[in-house]
């Protein structure tokens, strides 16, 4: 704690000195420097380059270290507006409010905070606002814990928002920047959530290569959007963007239905941008394998190690990493797994949402035996030994 | 939106709906309307699905007339009767989630200030008593403590009208309503007092008995919010359905309640008073 | 080249700088050209509450993340982790791989229950005692340097990070701004700084502590995991 000091009169916000470039240039072209940093620091580096206008914070473990870093970035002038709001309903409402004004807004939360803000968050896609939400996954079910468990992701799968699941610190940096641009394409105009498993990534150090901070993304153009900003810059009309279509008649039913259809169509349209910026929406290792692991987030790291150790023992195991949970890369997954014989789906949650997703897209298109696990939850990690054990069991059960 | 935006390109006006033509030719844009002008110009809100004889509707109509810059205003609302009328007005309206008005308005106002550094945009959070002090209490109070620069207007009908007549925090003690089968146990919440404690710069309590006074109060609240800090208007807008007030007696009820316990009151901070004195002197 | 891997579980008491030590070792490995990752176990950060942190060290890229359930090295920063059970992991050696190393900050060997002793024997654990707090008090004139003392010995035991990289990592920690600290840690840092008045002095004291326990470990014959290059490292 120290006392506030006013900025000198000749203070220049550091963000003003950065050069604006596209996400394509930022992520795919600029030379990079390798750092060894935590996931929270990777988020800070992404936010620093994301040309954020407004960041609104509220503390919750394990997210706090990210949004307090955003506060320092505001102090340095990389972010134009920043405050600590009352709680997550307030945070999510205000973040949407800022986005409605036509500026780039960002916030971050974790498990219970996400649930608290859920009513607001689930209204974002339909409101066609474009904030980016960083989500550091943690336990939400009772008994409560602060440890990583990504069951919260399952609650958002059907909202219509873009959902990315970062495997590690590097992904967290790249996905955040990609999300900041893709959300604002006119044919998308949707919010995005970038999830990462708390602690395992946020508080752990790993290698992250990043471009120079002399650059930042192009600013949001508030005039370019699928629906006008709430800025009263359009001729008046007796229509509100959030028409309260609460009359029970067929016009209101159609209005809601067509609006939602368009939200989910826009979500699909975002896929092509991620395909480019993330170099594919899935990653495949050992495509010729008969045994496959498919997963997202931290589970991918454990699976990679399992694939390596199996390889050292002469067993070829394939791996599919899913980067975009929404839009779900259905076609790529079907193509990658159509010749698999056994599929393992390791997850860091009890519900097995990835298992359900994968089963639903593979149904009738693949003859593999799909194993319902392995799964850990409540915060524990999944040792590589566990993945290898499950692989051995699958081979025995389905010879 | 500049006033020019309202005007269609040459040759197009006649092809637009008559409603729109009236707004351009006979609307309130760029003018300051008086209560006595009502009926002589095209108002921002006319048609609405509110109950016959609803006092809230009259008040909302007056708020629209009182907007100092409708072409640069955005209204934020939430569930409740009021939004059925507000959403029909010619001012962008955010119908947000339950009780999120003052949080949403905080982000919106700050975003607009970033995007339009040379054009003040007025943000007005207008919704019912339940939306503001029950479900929206946290957002309301914190927006005041943060001294957010937008106006908050409570349409206080002392009941959840839209959901069918449940007691709210603003219901008087002892009233039997739904969810208060033995009568409300607690006192009506002193939101004026809360606003004062939170340091709101302009606070007013009003009943829609004097249209001219409503217009002046709305203008004051919005101007103070624009230049000084948070402002709050608490307006008695009776629910003639749930309180069984015969339609012809709605205004009589407003006068009675005003006299009994809802008299006009302004609590103005020193800096807001100084500002208002300057603005109002200039106009004279 | 075979994958060389140290999976280290560190346990201690809040305020001892266990998490800081894990950052310093991990960062030192990266500075020296190796691979490393770390994850602290987060209960709530409170003084005197149990703390655990996990560091992976390798000569190849590391994929696996999360806390380490099957470590091959344990660092015990305070005897009460064992004697008072101030630990998230009970008993403290749970999951230790066969032939694993246990480095304990204690002047004298600890007494274990019969079952514990049997299990440690079965695991063929190498139990090494380092008087880290005493050395910190002697060299740096403060027990706050206990974590440094633990780091110095580890450098000698693994040969990774080398002492120079470890010193560079300590400098990063106190002078650079690479590491994000929790509120409590930041407050503790300023307490340390006050004590030393100048950062330079602080760095010097830390370096000397590192060197002292590095030498102590060499003298004990702990280098290269205790047997020169003869013995295989504990299986990962």
């Amino acid at each position: 704690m120290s006392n506030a000091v006013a900025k000198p009169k000749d203070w220049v916000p550091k963000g003003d000195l950065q050069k604006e470039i596209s996400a394509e240039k930022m992520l795919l072209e600029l030379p990079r420097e390798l750092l060894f940093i935590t996931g929270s620091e990777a988020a800070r580096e992404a936010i620093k380059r994301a040309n954020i206008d407004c960041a609104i914070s509220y503390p919750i473990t394990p997210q706090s270290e990210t949004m307090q870093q955003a506060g320092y970035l505001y102090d340095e002038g990389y972010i134009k507006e920043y405050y600590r709001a009352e709680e997550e309903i307030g945070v999510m409402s205000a973040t949407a409010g800022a986005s409605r004004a036509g500026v780039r807004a960002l916030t971050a939360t974790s498990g219970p905070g996400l649930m608290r803000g859920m009513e607001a968050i689930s209204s974002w896609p339909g409101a066609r606002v474009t904030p980016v939400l960083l989500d550091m996954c943690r336990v939400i079910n009772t008994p409560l814990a602060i440890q990583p468990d990504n069951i919260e992701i399952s609650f958002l799968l059907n909202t219509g928002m873009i959902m990315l699941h970062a495997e590690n610190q590097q992904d967290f940096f790249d996905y955040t920047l990609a999300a900041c641009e893709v959300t604002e394409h006119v044919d998308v105009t949707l919010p995005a959530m970038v999830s990462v498993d708390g602690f395992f990534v946020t508080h752990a150090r790993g290698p992250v290569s990043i471009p120079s901070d002399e650059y930042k993304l192009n600013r949001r153009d508030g005039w370019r959007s699928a629906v006008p900003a709430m800025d009263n810059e359009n001729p008046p009309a007796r229509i509100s963007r959030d028409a309260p279509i609460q009359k029970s008649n067929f016009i209101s039913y159609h209005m809601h239905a067509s609006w939602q259809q368009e939200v989910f169509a826009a979500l699909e349209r975002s896929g092509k941008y991620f395909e480019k910026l993330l170099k594919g929406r899935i990653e495949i290792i050992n495509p010729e394998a008969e045994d496959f692991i498919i997963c997202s987030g931290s589970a991918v790291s454990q699976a990679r190690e399992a694939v390596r150790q199996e390889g050292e023992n002469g067993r070829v195991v394939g791996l599919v990493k899913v980067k975009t949970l929404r839009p779900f890369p259905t076609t790529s997954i079907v193509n990658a797994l159509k010749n698999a014989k056994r599929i393992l789906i390791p997850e860091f949650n009890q519900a097995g949402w990835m298992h359900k997703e994968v089963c639903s897209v593979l149904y009738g298109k693949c003859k593999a035996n799909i194993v319902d696990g392995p799964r850990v939850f409540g915060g524990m990690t999944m040792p590589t030994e566990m993945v290898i054990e499950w692989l051995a069991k699958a081979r025995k059960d389905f010879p | 939106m500049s006033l020019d935006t309202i005007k269609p390109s040459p040759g197009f006006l006649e092809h637009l709906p008559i409603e729109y033509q009236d707004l351009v030719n006979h609307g309130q844009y760029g003018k300051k309307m008086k209560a006595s002008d009502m009926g002589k110009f095209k108002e921002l809100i006319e048609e609405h699905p509110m109950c016959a004889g609803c006092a809230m509707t009259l008040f909302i109509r007056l708020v629209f007339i009182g907007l100092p810059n409708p072409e640069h205003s955005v209204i934020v609302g939430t569930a409740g009767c009021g939004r059925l009328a507000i959403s029909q007005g010619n001012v962008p309206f955010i119908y947000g989630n339950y009780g999120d008005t003052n949080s949403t308005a905080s982000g919106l106002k700050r975003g607009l200030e970033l995007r339009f550094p040379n054009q003040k945009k007025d943000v007005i959070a207008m919704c019912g008593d339940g939306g503001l002090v029950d479900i929206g209490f946290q957002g309301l109070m914190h927006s005041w403590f943060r001294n957010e620069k937008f106006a908050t207007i409570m349409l206080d009908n002392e009941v959840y009208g839209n959901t069918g007549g449940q007691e709210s925090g603003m219901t008087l003690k002892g009233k039997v309503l739904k969810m208060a089968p033995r009568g409300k146990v607690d006192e009506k919440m002193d939101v004026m007092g809360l606003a004062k404690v939170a340091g709101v710069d302009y606070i007013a309590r009003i009943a829609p008995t004097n249209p001219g006074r409503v217009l002046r109060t709305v203008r004051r609240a919005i101007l103070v919010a624009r230049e000084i800090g948070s402002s709050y208007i608490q307006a008695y807008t009776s629910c003639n359905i749930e309180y069984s007030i015969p339609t012809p007696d709605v205004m009589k009820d407003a006068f009675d309640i005003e006299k009994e316990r809802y008299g006009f009151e302004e609590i103005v901070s020193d800096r807001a008073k100084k500002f208002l004195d300057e603005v109002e002197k200039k106009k004279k | 080249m075979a994958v060389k891997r140290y999976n280290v579980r560190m346990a201690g008491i809040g305020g001892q700088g266990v998490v800081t030590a894990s950052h310093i070792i991990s960062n030192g490995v990266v500075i020296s050209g190796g691979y490393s990752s770390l994850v602290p176990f987060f209960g709530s950060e409170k003084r005197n509450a149990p703390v655990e942190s996990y560091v992976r060290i390798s000569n190849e890229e590391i994929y696996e993340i999360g806390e380490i359930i099957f470590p091959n090295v344990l660092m015990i920063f305070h005897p009460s982790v064992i004697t008072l059970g101030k630990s998230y992991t009970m008993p403290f050696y749970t999951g230790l791989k066969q032939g694993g190393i246990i480095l304990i900050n204690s002047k004298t060997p600890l007494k274990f229950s019969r079952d514990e002793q049997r299990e440690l024997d079965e695991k063929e654990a190498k139990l090494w005692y380092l008087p880290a707090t005493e050395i910190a008090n002697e060299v740096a004139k403060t027990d706050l340097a206990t974590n440094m003392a633990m780091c110095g010995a580890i450098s000698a035991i693994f040969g990774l990070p080398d002492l120079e990289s470890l010193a560079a990592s300590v400098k990063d920690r106190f002078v650079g701004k690479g590491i994000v600290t929790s509120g409590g840690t930041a407050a503790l840092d300023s307490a340390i700084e006050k004590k030393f008045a100048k950062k330079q002095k602080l760095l010097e004291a830390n370096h000397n502590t590192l060197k002292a326990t590095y030498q102590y470990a060499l003298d004990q014959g702990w280098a290269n995991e205790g047997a020169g290059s003869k013995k295989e490292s504990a299986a990962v």
Side-chain angles (χ1 to χ4, degrees), chain A residues 7-18 74-78:
Chain A
K7 294 279 178 219
K9 270 184 191 152
D10 55 354
W11 180 69
V12 179
K14 286 189 181 161
D16 288 5
L17 305 173
Q18 290 174 297
Y74 162 70
D75 183 50
E76 291 177 69
Y78 289 104

Side-chain angles (χ1 to χ4, degrees), chain A residues 255-314:
Chain A
M255 198 167 150
H256 183 94
S258 58
W259 192 266
Q260 281 295 312
Q261 279 170 352
E262 167 52 17
V263 166
F264 283 88
L267 183 60
E268 285 303 316
R269 293 197 293 264
S270 71
K272 59 181 181 289
Y273 298 112
F274 289 116
E275 203 68 53
K276 188 168 191 183
L277 291 174
L278 307 183
K279 295 184 194 157
R281 286 153 59 199
I282 64 170
E283 178 196 335
I284 312 174
I285 295 173
N286 294 338
E288 72 291 352
E290 289 187 347
D291 296 344
F292 258 98
I293 302 173
I294 176 168
C295 50
S296 66
S298 296
V300 178
S301 291
Q302 315 309 80
R304 270 186 213 283
E305 181 63 26
V307 167
R308 174 160 71 184
Q309 289 184 20
E310 288 287 85
E312 283 172 0
N313 292 316

Side-chain angles (χ1 to χ4, degrees), chain A residues 40-55:
Chain A
S40 307
E41 291 167 324
R44 172 192 69 199
E45 295 305 321
I47 294 168
K48 195 178 190 183
R49 291 159 180 77
N51 206 347
I52 301 297
D53 292 298
C54 187

Side-chain angles (χ1 to χ4, degrees), chain A residues 4 34-35 46-47 77 95 119 144 192-193 214 218 227 243 285 290 336 375 380:
Chain A
L34 185 69
L35 301 181
I47 294 168
T95 304
E119 185 195 4
L144 191 59
M193 178 165 89
E214 290 163 37
N218 288 323
V227 292
I285 295 173
E290 289 187 347
R375 254 171 238 163
M380 70 186 81

Side-chain angles (χ1 to χ4, degrees), chain A residues 92-102 129, chain B residues 94 103-109 111:
Chain A
M92 302 308 161
S93 303
T95 304
S99 187
R100 284 173 190 274
V129 290
Chain B
I94 295 176
S103 302
T104 301
S106 301
L108 179 74
K109 176 68 185 182

Side-chain angles (χ1 to χ4, degrees), chain A residues 34 36 206-207, chain C residues 1 4 25-37 56-62 159-162 165:
Chain A
L34 185 69
F36 183 57
Chain C
M1 185 175 62
K4 192 175 178 183
I25 291 176
S26 193
N27 196 29
V29 171
V30 172
I31 291 171
S32 73
Y35 294 86
S36 182
S37 68
R56 290 182 172 86
I57 296 171
S58 181
N59 55 351
E60 272 196 16
E61 194 174 344
I62 295 166
L160 189 71
D162 57 87
S165 305

